[in-house]
DNA sequence: TTGATATTTTGACATACTTCAAAATAAAGT
DNA sequence: ACTTTATTTTGAAGTATGTCAAAATATCAA
């Protein structure tokens, strides 16, 4: 999974809010949608982006679809951020 | 500084590469531009976005402009990421 | 199989983003 | 003052993204 997908997924405030809503447990699409002033179609698009980045998982439970955080990818996200913000790679020491 | 600016700034691969190039010290705009197959005008736009997110600082040194990582904002970025990915907020425990 | 509920997919539209080429600004040297 | 070098800003073009309304899919219950 390209890291670009992860950064892109995190760049939208609606998607970050979805992630936060999932922090205290998985929720069906409709329940998540209630928290937003937006059509369910639009929300479904955001779910797709989050799934493409492997940040969430989905599972059908009867008529509804349960979304949950994919916690196993968080270590990778942490590594990406760490790599981006660590300093002093002991090279030429320009400035 | 709105966190949206930070996430947006990080969502572009060119900008992330600029940050990585600055990890071993500050560099003038022209030196950074050499690393990319892109006009200097385009690069300058990316510098602006990174500056708006307070991720880099710039300082004029004669004819050139030195860019450097703003390391003091990294703690904030780390906090943003931590907040986004921490789980188990001991609420209803839905799933 | 018909109907109701839950969700996704499609097609269209508007806004935002990335890029370029060219013009503008700034400092330094002649 | 002019020229050169370094960089930014502007204006325009193409592409990507977020959104909606409407159509499509899937499950469940009569």
């Amino acid at each position: 999974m390209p890291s670009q997908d992860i950064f892109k997924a995190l760049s939208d405030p609606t998607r970050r809010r979805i992630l936060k809503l999932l922090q205290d447990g998985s929720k069906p699409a409709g329940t998540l949608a209630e928290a937003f002033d937006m059509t369910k179609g639009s929300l479904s698009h955001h779910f797709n982006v989050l799934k493409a980045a492997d940040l969430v998982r989905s599972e059908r439970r009867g008529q509804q679809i349960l979304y949950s955080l994919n916690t196993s990818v968080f270590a990778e996200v942490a590594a990406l951020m760490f790599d981006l913000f660590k300093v002093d790679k002991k090279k030429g020491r320009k400035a």
Side-chain angles (χ1 to χ4, degrees), chain A:
Chain A
M1 64 212 76
S3 66
Q4 173 61 11
D5 291 348
I6 294 179
F7 283 105
K8 264 289 161 57
L10 296 179
S11 73
D12 181 86
T14 298
R15 289 192 290 268
R16 291 198 302 276
R17 222 175 115 209
I18 292 169
L19 292 179
K20 298 210 75 176
L21 286 171
L22 291 175
Q23 283 176 348
D24 67 310
S26 62
K27 296 184 174 61
T31 303
L32 288 169
E34 286 170 14
F36 296 88
D37 191 17
M38 192 180 294
T39 67
K40 298 193 175 189
S42 298
L43 260 297
S44 190
H45 156 69
H46 288 302
F47 297 150
N48 277 333
V49 175
L50 289 169
K51 261 171 48 170
D54 208 27
L55 290 169
V56 306
R57 291 278 161 79
S58 67
E59 169 195 5
R60 181 173 280 280
R61 189 72 65 95
Q63 282 170 286
Q64 44 196 21
I65 293 184
L66 278 184
Y67 283 95
S68 55
L69 286 184
N70 176 14
T71 51
S72 72
V73 85
F74 291 174
E76 187 189 348
V77 176
L80 280 173
M81 297 299 165
F82 183 77
D83 182 59
L84 207 48
F85 292 113
K86 74 184 170 197
V87 195
D88 190 16
K89 296 203 295 189
K90 61 165 76 81
K91 269 184 123 186
R93 232 35 141 283
K94 280 277 168 53

